[in-house]
Amino acid sequence: LFSDMRVLVLVVALMIVGRISAAPCATGKWSANGADTPTACTDCVAGKANPVTGGTSVDNCMGCAAGKYALAGAASCTDCTAGKASATVNATSMAACQDCAAGKWVGTLGSTVCTDCAAGTANPNTASTSAAACPDALRLISGDEGGGEGAVPPPVFVTRLSLLTDK
């Protein structure tokens, strides 16, 4: 009996020492006791991130703003890349970041909307990252878009621009 009590005391002592010396949960995780024990830490859900070590509540996991996304267990939200935008709050993957449509562009990270090409310019490409991608519309109609002599713009722009020149 005395031997069994010593084992029990040793087990309890190890459990207490283990709790005291447990490492805090890593970023992107949280635990009600803040300790990194075998199953105590839980990943923040996708769309939320926790930049703090030792998170003690699911409230430590903060939602991502529009223009950003986070996978499960993320320490921070990731910006949509240039040429893409997202109006989705708490986006759960990069798929929420959509390419800017033809005729639009965005050059900054974490954008929520794409910018229209300026009046008199056009852009046949998607996912453009600069206003320089919107050359003068007359150059596109004449075929001078850097594709060599006689290059023809995509049909959607011929139709679109011909409406402007038929007035």
Side-chain angles (χ1 to χ4, degrees), residues 10-55:
L10 180 58
V11 169
V12 170
L14 288 174
M15 289 173 58
I16 291 170
V17 169
R19 284 189 187 202
I20 293 170
S21 64
C25 290
T27 58
K29 299 179 181 293
W30 68 276
S31 172
N33 65 11
D36 188 7
T37 56
T39 58
C41 296
T42 303
D43 283 347
C44 292
V45 297
K48 297 186 175 198
N50 177 13
V52 180
T53 301

Side-chain angles (χ1 to χ4, degrees), residues 10-129:
L10 180 58
V11 169
V12 170
L14 288 174
M15 289 173 58
I16 291 170
V17 169
R19 284 189 187 202
I20 293 170
S21 64
C25 290
T27 58
K29 299 179 181 293
W30 68 276
S31 172
N33 65 11
D36 188 7
T37 56
T39 58
C41 296
T42 303
D43 283 347
C44 292
V45 297
K48 297 186 175 198
N50 177 13
V52 180
T53 301
T56 58
S57 166
V58 69
D59 294 336
N60 292 118
C61 301
M62 306 299 287
C64 296
K68 300 174 183 285
Y69 67 93
L71 303 176
S76 63
C77 297
T78 303
D79 288 328
C80 292
T81 58
K84 296 178 180 276
S86 175
T88 304
V89 176
N90 299 333
T92 59
S93 73
M94 184 172 56
C97 303
Q98 299 292 306
D99 288 349
C100 292
K104 297 178 179 276
W105 65 277
V106 67
T108 56
L109 300 175
S111 294
T112 58
V113 295
C114 299
T115 304
D116 289 329
C117 290
T121 67
N123 176 6
N125 303 310
T126 60
S128 295
T129 60

